[in-house]
């Protein structure tokens, strides 16, 4: 089932940030951050279900999706502080954060620095282990001498290759077009700066994980060729209060299995995060 996201732009810290807000007056708020190289439209097929139980705010992080960027924000540490600025801008006090893919390390670092601001986290599908445990595609992005090699990346070919892995679960054409537009010009190459900071920043995150007592739901794909399951296992083994669900999907678990992914989030915010989250589920 698909629904039209109510999308707009808002200035945060001098940047035009694209967002979608479900509205409503639910007692709990869910803040979702866009995966890369997709956009906030990655949550389209779980939007209607989740908006029935919580108020939703989806954000294209700076430099990702259709939001403006600033180079100094393109690392997990600085992005973690921007996440808190997002909460301040919308006057959100104690939300659940759903931050798959590139949002994962930033959300974890935000919880480490500002535990009083975040009710729980839903993360996964991104490099978090150190030493690095990544597939060839991500390894090449991280280890290339510079970002110039990525400036010639054809955004259409990039997105077509990505959604081809979804088969019948591929998104609608207007969403694919949004993904392409989100990576035009120098946007893909510049966004790569974020993952290229991992060799310096993931060791910092690893040291902080045992001190993050915020409840964390980890969701990953068993067949992910870009970010192997070892990354989710690394988090689960070190976070004091975490649950791990491994889905029978590839990298884009949130799009390949939106029903299952959304059901895990719904159960989590409906009390799962309160009941002792330690555990693992393989599906």
């Amino acid at each position: 089932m698909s629904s039209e996201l109510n999308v707009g732009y808002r200035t945060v810290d001098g940047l035009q940030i694209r967002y979608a807000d479900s509205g409503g007056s639910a007692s709990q708020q869910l803040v979702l951050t866009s995966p890369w190289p997709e956009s906030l439209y990655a949550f389209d097929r779980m939007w209607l279900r989740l908006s029935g139980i919580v108020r939703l705010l989806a954000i294209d992080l700076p430099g990702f999706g259709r939001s403006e960027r600033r180079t100094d924000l393109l690392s997990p540490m600085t992005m973690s502080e921007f996440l808190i600025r997002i909460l301040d801008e919308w006057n959100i006090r104690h939300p659940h954060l759903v931050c798959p893919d590139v949002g994962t390390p930033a959300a974890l670092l935000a919880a480490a620095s500002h535990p009083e601001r975040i009710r729980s986290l839903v993360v996964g599908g991104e490099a978090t282990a150190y030493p690095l445990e990544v597939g060839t595609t991500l390894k090449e992005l991280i280890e290339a001498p510079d970002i110039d090699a990525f400036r010639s990346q054809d955004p259409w070919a990039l997105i077509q290759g990505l959604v081809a892995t979804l088969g019948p679960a591929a998104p609608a054409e207007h969403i694919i077009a949004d993904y392409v537009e989100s990576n035009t010009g120098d946007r893909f190459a510049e966004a790569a700066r974020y993952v290229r900071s991992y060799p310096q920043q993931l060791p910092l995150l690893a040291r902080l994980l045992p001190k993050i007592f915020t409840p964390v739901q980890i969701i990953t794909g068993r067949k992910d060729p870009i970010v192997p399951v070892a990354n989710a296992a690394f988090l689960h083994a070190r976070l004091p209060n975490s649950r791990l669900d491994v889905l029978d999907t590839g990298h884009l678990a949130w799009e390949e299995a939106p029903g299952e992914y959304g059901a895990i989030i719904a159960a989590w915010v409906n009390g799962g995060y309160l009941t002792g989250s330690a555990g693992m589920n393989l599906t």
Side-chain angles (χ1 to χ4, degrees):
M1 182 176 293
S2 180
S3 62
E4 286 294 325
L5 277 66
N6 183 21
V7 174
Y9 286 85
R10 188 160 172 171
T11 302
V12 183
D13 198 25
L15 298 174
Q16 286 288 295
I17 299 299
R18 187 171 69 165
Y19 72 93
D21 191 339
S22 69
S25 58
S27 60
Q28 297 192 85
Q29 183 115 23
L30 203 67
V31 177
L32 308 99
T33 64
S34 58
W36 178 59
E38 301 152 277
S39 73
L40 54 77
Y41 279 98
F43 306 114
D44 180 68
R45 280 180 285 188
M46 64 181 83
W47 192 260
L48 187 61
R49 174 179 191 165
L50 294 176
S51 64
I53 57 174
V54 291
R55 183 170 181 175
L56 304 178
L57 174 68
I59 296 290
D60 278 341
L61 293 169
F64 299 100
R66 304 288 287 277
S67 289
E68 289 184 331
R69 70 171 178 265
R70 203 168 61 233
T71 301
D72 65 287
L73 292 175
L74 293 175
S75 74
M77 188 66 74
T78 52
M79 193 69 81
S80 71
E81 292 302 318
F82 192 86
L83 276 174
I84 300 302
R85 286 198 285 275
I86 289 286
L87 303 186
D88 290 342
E89 175 66 29
W90 267 268
N91 194 29
I92 299 171
R93 306 315 304 170
H94 202 210
H96 304 277
L97 298 187
V98 176
C99 301
D101 196 66
V102 290
T104 289
L108 289 164
L109 288 165
S113 299
H114 304 274
E116 76 288 351
R117 294 299 306 276
I118 299 167
R119 190 183 302 265
S120 81
L121 301 177
V122 180
V123 299
E126 186 55 322
T128 47
Y130 196 82
L132 289 171
E133 293 266 4
V134 296
T136 302
T137 301
L138 187 51
K139 183 180 174 68
E140 290 175 352
L141 281 172
I142 293 171
E143 296 184 353
D146 53 50
I147 64 170
D148 289 343
F150 311 123
R151 295 190 187 280
S152 60
Q153 173 68 57
D154 178 358
W156 178 257
L158 170 73
I159 298 303
Q160 286 298 315
L162 186 72
V163 301
T165 65
L166 296 172
E173 286 300 320
H174 75 280
I175 294 178
I176 293 175
D178 185 78
Y179 295 169
V180 172
E181 185 66 24
S182 296
N183 292 279
T184 56
D186 66 354
R187 290 187 63 83
F188 178 79
E190 290 294 325
R193 295 182 188 275
Y194 186 91
V195 298
R196 288 169 60 79
S197 73
Y198 285 178
Q200 294 75 43
Q201 302 225 331
L202 292 186
L204 303 176
L205 174 62
R207 290 196 290 271
L208 290 170
L209 292 176
K211 303 174 184 178
I212 299 174
F213 293 94
T214 304
V216 181
Q217 166 71 64
I218 308 160
I219 310 175
T220 195
R222 178 183 296 109
K223 298 179 287 188
D224 189 339
I226 298 173
V227 181
V229 177
N231 290 274
F234 185 91
L235 292 181
H236 187 50
R238 288 161 178 80
L239 288 164
N241 190 13
S242 68
R243 175 181 171 83
L244 171 59
D245 281 81
V246 182
L247 307 185
D248 191 29
T249 68
H251 179 60
L252 306 179
W254 45 89
E255 294 209 70
E256 188 175 345
E260 195 172 3
Y261 202 98
I264 293 170
I265 296 173
W268 180 254
V269 302
N270 275 331
Y273 75 100
L274 292 170
T275 59
S277 53
M280 180 168 66
N281 183 39
L282 305 175
T283 60

